[in-house]
Amino acid sequence: MTAGVVHRRVTGSTQSGRPLFYLQITDMKDTYVTLFPHGSETQYPTIPQGGLVYILNPTIIPSRDGSQKVALSISNSRCLIHIGQAVDYGVCCATQRNGLKCMNAVNKEVSRYCLYHIRKTQEDVNTMRCEVSTGYCDCFYLTS
């Protein structure tokens, strides 16, 4: 049994025209797992963004490119149980370079910003400090 928060519900079609449906699940700590349910989208309940779910007996799908990422697959709608809404679920308040809102999930109790934007801001601040960015500082020392 695995628990997670639904971050995104993706629907569409493949290049061959087959319908495509999957859920992106998060633990609200910058970890995302894709969940592929078998069957059609109409067989599964519409779980809202931020919905807390149990995933029963998932099958682990290893990455095809050899990376550490994995995906999960479930056989039917009884393996996905919506148990409530995550109170601390939120979406990052930062803006991306292209002007669009960042869509990463965050734990609102911890921060309003995702780890990427926290690290980016920290790097920007550190480059402004001469001691951190250059290794020395042009400070004047008074000698008596």
Side-chain angles (χ1 to χ4, degrees):
M1 181 182 319
T2 306
V5 178
V6 174
H7 176 58
R8 194 175 317 177
R9 183 181 182 108
V10 179
T11 57
S13 60
T14 63
Q15 292 177 346
S16 63
R18 287 186 18 217
L20 175 68
F21 162 59
Y22 65 90
L23 299 173
Q24 189 177 43
I25 308 293
T26 183
D27 64 353
M28 297 195 311
K29 296 178 186 172
D30 261 10
T31 303
Y32 298 93
V33 175
T34 302
L35 174 68
F36 293 103
H38 287 278
S40 69
E41 179 185 3
T42 57
Q43 295 174 338
Y44 290 88
T46 303
I47 300 169
Q49 189 174 9
L52 187 61
V53 293
Y54 274 135
I55 305 167
L56 303 172
N57 301 324
T59 303
I60 298 173
I61 304 169
S63 175
R64 292 182 182 172
D65 61 2
S67 67
Q68 295 292 329
K69 293 185 178 184
V70 296
L72 300 176
S73 175
I74 55 175
S75 58
N76 60 47
S77 62
R78 292 184 308 236
C79 294
L80 183 66
I81 302 170
H82 181 221
I83 58 173
Q85 196 69 13
V87 176
D88 294 329
Y89 173 83
V91 178
C92 181
C93 294
T95 305
Q96 298 174 349
R97 290 183 193 176
N98 59 6
L100 298 175
K101 188 174 182 329
C102 177
M103 295 305 295
N104 288 335
V106 296
N107 184 341
K108 291 189 298 188
E109 186 177 308
V110 176
S111 175
R112 294 178 27 213
Y113 299 95
C114 65
L115 286 178
Y116 171 80
H117 283 105
I118 290 171
R119 289 181 186 139
K120 183 71 174 151
T121 303
Q122 187 176 15
E123 287 173 11
D124 293 345
V125 168
N126 286 345
T127 58
M128 290 182 216
R129 294 179 52 203
C130 67
E131 303 91 25
V132 176
S133 63
T134 62
Y136 77 99
C137 186
D138 294 333
C139 299
F140 295 99
Y141 295 103
L142 297 174
T143 57
S144 53

